[in-house]
Amino acid sequence: GTDRPRQNQHFFGFDIGGPIYAPWFGEGGPTHWNGKDKATFFFAYEGFRDNFSVTRNRTVLTDTARQGIFRYSRIGCTPAGSAACVQTVDLLAIGTQNTLNPITTGILNSIPLPNNADVGDGFNLGGFRYNVTGVSNNDKYVGRYDHQLVNDTRVGSHKLEFVLNYFKNILSPDTFNGLEAPFTGLVNSTQGGPRWLVTGALVSNSGSSVTNVVRAGRKWSPVGFLLEQDPTEPFINFQGITDPYAGGNFQSQGRDTQVWNVKDDLTWSRGNHIFKMGADYQQIFATTFNDVGTNQIINLGTPAHNSGGISDSSFPNSNATIRTNARSIFANLVGNLNSSSATVNVETPTSGFVLGATRSRLFRQRDLALYIQDQWRARNNLTLNLGVRWDYIGVPTIPNGLA
């Protein structure tokens, strides 16, 4: 049987913070600069490691079916499934194609044989159950620096703040989206990427009644869903069984979203009123790519325009399900073509469609918000909030002209 899936998770990390001390150069005076109540820092790291396995049960052909021998239990015969009721049909002797296709059979023979009967028809199709092993690793870093530039001076008090967040994750293979290789030894797909957030702020106080905070930051978060190896041959869509490609003909795709933000908030306290006003500007820039469909896909089957010469009379005492299974296996073995397709994309506004080119798109949007507010304490038990806000939501544009 298949081993029980395992999962071993490990969490670890540390944090440190406090005032900053630095050497003090020069003759006389202290030997070091003391940042207590002036300059402080904080740093934290957290790691996560997950070694996991998940169970998959794929649908595969039996050994006899790979040779073109199709078996089924005749409808109405009892006891069903007994040797006396089993009908055997040589698929290579009843159609217009009588030889195994070396390409499709080469792929089929690289796929494991069944090890269970939980899926399939019990004759020609069975299940191959196994454990997919993988890792999910995360690393998180957080850093902060605060510096009191001046305090209680004629120009007020001013403090500088700086924050850095960094997060990186990798999931290999990407079992969350079912994009692992369908069988061991084939090409997996992974998921992951770094994410950054950087912000800086200047906090200014004028006396005890006025506070102004100017903050600017940038966040960018690229993420990729990537095949470990790009395809070098067309995808072949087999019928009735699990295709030997990650995620069913999946191809690499990803995106990188960048957000710039600048905002200014002013608070003024006067009597029973707290006035607030400010502005918030944001620019969003995203770039995406998608290779899905750019590799040729060959669909096997027995459509009306290319039936392979398989007739219903070749399967006495059968039903539609049995005949569909037979035709699917026949198409897989002889490589009977149903259709073929590929997605073509443009590379520039004037390139025209280019075979094999990825679908690349750029998006940009700008937003602006302005507001003013009065928080009025009219009575000890009554506070009124009055204000107005204006928002401009920009229309997304495509800088490279590719819609």
Side-chain angles (χ1 to χ4, degrees):
T2 305
D3 293 336
R4 178 179 297 178
R6 63 175 175 82
Q7 185 170 32
N8 298 317
Q9 295 184 340
H10 305 276
F11 296 86
F12 50 91
F14 69 92
D15 62 75
I16 185 174
I20 292 179
Y21 297 92
W24 185 270
F25 300 99
E27 298 181 359
T31 58
H32 66 279
W33 181 75
N34 187 347
K36 185 178 180 181
D37 299 327
K38 295 180 181 179
T40 59
F41 79 98
F42 174 81
F43 178 80
Y45 166 76
E46 179 180 312
F48 171 73
R49 301 292 182 267
D50 183 7
N51 299 305
F52 66 87
S53 64
V54 294
T55 301
R56 299 287 193 248
N57 196 17
R58 313 298 192 187
T59 302
V60 298
L61 291 177
T62 61
D63 185 49
T64 54
R66 300 181 191 201
Q67 309 307 314
I69 306 302
F70 181 78
R71 298 183 300 154
Y72 65 95
S73 181
R74 294 191 301 273
I75 301 299
C77 182
T78 56
S82 64
C85 292
V86 174
Q87 180 76 33
T88 300
V89 178
D90 185 354
L91 297 177
L92 300 179
I94 62 173
T96 57
Q97 301 186 55
N98 309 118
T99 58
L100 298 173
N101 184 292
I103 296 177
T104 59
T105 54
I107 296 174
L108 292 173
N109 290 332
S110 69
I111 295 174
L113 291 169
N115 59 14
N116 69 86
D118 293 341
V119 297
D121 61 3
F123 295 102
N124 312 285
L125 303 170
F128 176 73
R129 181 182 287 111
Y130 74 109
N131 288 330
V132 180
T133 59
V135 296
S136 177
N137 297 337
N138 296 337
D139 293 288
K140 301 177 184 178
Y141 302 85
V142 178
R144 178 176 179 125
Y145 175 72
D146 292 83
H147 193 113
Q148 188 70 45
L149 300 176
V150 292
N151 192 28
D152 294 332
T153 66
R154 288 184 299 175
V155 294
S157 301
H158 302 279
K159 184 179 73 169
L160 180 67
E161 299 176 353
F162 177 79
V163 177
L164 170 65
N165 283 284
Y166 175 75
F167 171 78
K168 183 177 182 180
N169 76 297
I170 181 69
L171 175 61
S172 178
D174 187 0
T175 55
F176 180 81
N177 292 303
L179 298 179
E180 74 278 358
F183 303 101
T184 56
L186 300 181
V187 178
N188 283 303
S189 175
T190 63
Q191 175 193 155
R195 293 166 176 81
W196 293 85
L197 173 63
V198 179
T199 63
L202 178 64
V203 181
S204 301
N205 293 286
S206 178
S208 60
S209 61
V210 179
T211 299
N212 189 77
V213 180
V214 179
R215 191 178 305 274
R218 181 191 180 197
K219 179 179 72 173
W220 59 105
S221 50
V223 59
F225 305 86
L226 308 175
L227 287 176
E228 294 177 338
Q229 178 182 330
D230 289 330
T232 58
E233 300 290 341
F235 291 133
I236 299 178
N237 273 350
F238 293 91
Q239 300 300 302
I241 62 173
T242 302
D243 287 323
Y245 312 109
N249 307 334
F250 175 81
Q251 289 187 255
S252 297
Q253 55 185 272
R255 61 184 180 271
D256 181 9
T257 304
Q258 302 179 23
V259 179
W260 289 86
N261 183 268
V262 179
K263 61 184 306 185
D264 186 2
D265 295 294
L266 174 68
T267 302
W268 177 33
S269 177
R270 182 176 178 83
N272 293 332
H273 296 268
I274 299 178
F275 299 101
K276 297 181 180 180
M277 63 189 69
D280 189 338
Y281 172 78
Q282 178 175 266
Q283 176 174 279
I284 303 172
F285 185 84
T287 176
T288 67
F289 77 93
N290 193 336
D291 291 345
V292 172
T294 58
N295 192 53
Q296 182 186 4
I297 300 175
I298 298 174
N299 298 301
L300 303 180
T302 55
H305 61 271
N306 187 25
S307 65
I310 302 293
S311 64
D312 291 351
S313 61
S314 299
F315 308 96
N317 302 109
S318 65
N319 58 23
T321 300
I322 292 173
R323 294 189 293 271
T324 297
N325 287 342
R327 288 187 169 90
S328 296
I329 295 173
F330 170 81
N332 294 340
L333 295 177
V334 303
N336 204 68
L337 179 64
N338 182 349
S339 63
S340 180
S341 64
T343 300
V344 291
N345 297 297
V346 295
E347 293 181 329
T348 68
T350 59
S351 68
F353 291 107
V354 179
L355 185 64
T358 188
R359 186 183 188 276
S360 177
R361 296 294 183 269
L362 303 177
F363 303 92
R364 183 171 60 196
Q365 179 177 333
R366 296 185 175 96
D367 304 326
L368 176 65
L370 305 173
Y371 75 93
I372 184 169
Q373 175 185 335
D374 177 14
Q375 181 177 316
W376 175 33
R377 189 178 182 186
R379 302 178 61 176
N380 290 336
N381 59 354
L382 177 63
T383 300
L384 301 177
N385 286 285
L386 309 173
V388 62
R389 180 184 177 95
W390 176 82
D391 283 275
Y392 168 76
I393 307 298
V395 178
T397 58
I398 304 176
N400 63 358
L402 299 180

